Amino acid sequence: SQQGEEDPQALSIQEGENATMNCSYKTSINNLQWYRQNSGRGLVHLILIRSNEREKHSGRLRVTLDTSKKSSSLLITASRAADTASYFCATDARMDSSYKLIFGSGTRLLVRP
Amino acid sequence: GAVVSQHPSWVICKSGTSVKIECRSLDFQATTMFWYRQFPKQSLMLMATSNEGSKATYEQGVEKDKFLINHASLTLSTLTVTSAHPEDSSFYICSATVGQGPATNEKLFFGSGTQLSVL
């Protein structure tokens, strides 16, 4: 399976601290994306990093990508209680000219006020 | 923009009945829609990819006769769980992409999901 693994599975931090989540995947990719999911809801796209990029920022989010290690990290700085959610990385898979995203196992983040 | 609407949000049904879930792209044309299934505290598992006007492509292990997918228009895809059983209880989420080229089929827009409970 191409599904990636994320660690930690769960993370609990105090508001104001930084949260780092890691993602590893198995095959070559064109891009890697991070999504957020609030409990019982759909996913929201956070950021996309292409295979030729090493780092990308968006507000309090910082994503890194190391294609040699097939890994990525998501850093949320100055966390807020509202950041409490599950975070998933997703990698693209192209087979027979079709396109699909395969999601990692996810990290459940709890930010304590 | 790029809003995906999914209905219903919750459905409870008796074992043996069929349930239809709708996924609509409200402000864009979705050439491709994806259906995912998610168990509690687990990741999303891709069930099938549906392309407008053609048959859906199912992932390995997903029964196509059990999970009927129809993508009759560029704004609507439906998933029908036929003869539902308690083991089909799960959270089903649809998503859509915009465009057809490799540069555009990148970001997914998700519906809010449907929690199916089969008694």
Side-chain angles (χ1 to χ4, degrees):
Chain A
S1 159
Q2 189 184 355
Q3 187 173 30
E5 296 297 322
E6 293 182 56
D7 77 275
Q9 290 187 348
L11 179 61
S12 178
I13 60 174
Q14 200 71 37
E15 200 165 30
E17 294 179 341
N18 296 342
T20 299
M21 289 158 266
N22 302 295
C23 165
S24 61
Y25 55 92
K26 298 179 181 177
T27 64
S28 60
I29 61 171
N30 293 301
N31 63 69
L32 184 144
Q33 305 179 43
W34 285 89
Y35 286 81
R36 166 196 167 123
Q37 182 183 32
N38 283 38
S39 179
R41 304 291 293 174
L43 278 71
V44 175
H45 179 265
L46 294 177
I47 197 166
L48 179 153
I49 186 166
R50 301 189 190 284
S51 59
N52 62 353
E53 298 176 308
R54 291 297 167 259
E55 188 171 311
K56 203 161 184 179
H57 296 254
S58 177
R60 293 184 296 112
L61 305 180
R62 173 178 167 252
V63 168
T64 62
L65 178 64
D66 187 335
T67 52
S68 66
K69 295 181 179 179
K70 290 187 169 57
S71 67
S72 173
S73 68
L74 170 67
L75 168 68
I76 303 175
T77 60
S79 64
R80 305 167 181 168
D83 294 329
T84 294
S86 290
Y87 292 83
F88 296 92
C89 66
T91 52
D92 64 321
R94 296 183 187 276
M95 299 181 68
D96 301 326
S97 76
S98 65
Y99 171 89
K100 56 186 179 182
L101 281 186
I102 304 298
F103 285 83
S105 51
T107 294
R108 296 191 307 280
L109 173 65
L110 171 65
V111 181
R112 304 186 303 275
Chain B
V3 176
V4 176
S5 175
Q6 185 174 343
H7 292 281
S9 299
W10 283 87
V11 58
I12 301 174
C13 69
K14 293 182 179 180
S15 185
T17 60
S18 294
V19 175
K20 179 184 282 189
I21 302 170
E22 290 189 350
C23 182
R24 294 180 184 273
S25 56
L26 297 186
D27 51 0
F28 67 102
Q29 293 185 328
T31 54
T32 304
M33 288 187 172
F34 303 90
W35 287 95
Y36 289 87
R37 182 175 182 175
Q38 185 179 34
F39 291 105
K41 297 185 179 180
Q42 294 190 23
S43 186
L44 282 72
M45 298 302 297
L46 180 64
M47 298 175 66
T49 302
S50 87
N51 296 295
E52 186 266 337
S54 62
K55 290 184 179 179
T57 302
Y58 289 81
E59 294 299 302
Q60 192 173 9
V62 178
E63 298 176 58
K64 57 183 66 177
D65 295 330
K66 174 76 171 176
F67 300 99
L68 300 179
I69 291 173
N70 183 279
H71 194 159
S73 77
L74 284 170
T75 59
L76 174 64
S77 176
T78 60
L79 167 67
T80 300
V81 183
T82 62
S83 187
H85 291 282
E87 58 265 30
D88 298 323
S89 298
S90 186
F91 190 61
Y92 294 87
I93 314 176
C94 71
S95 64
T97 62
V98 179
Q100 293 179 319
T104 52
N105 279 358
E106 292 184 332
K107 186 163 66 175
L108 293 188
F109 301 95
F110 281 84
S112 55
T114 298
Q115 181 64 51
L116 171 64
S117 298
V118 185
L119 305 178

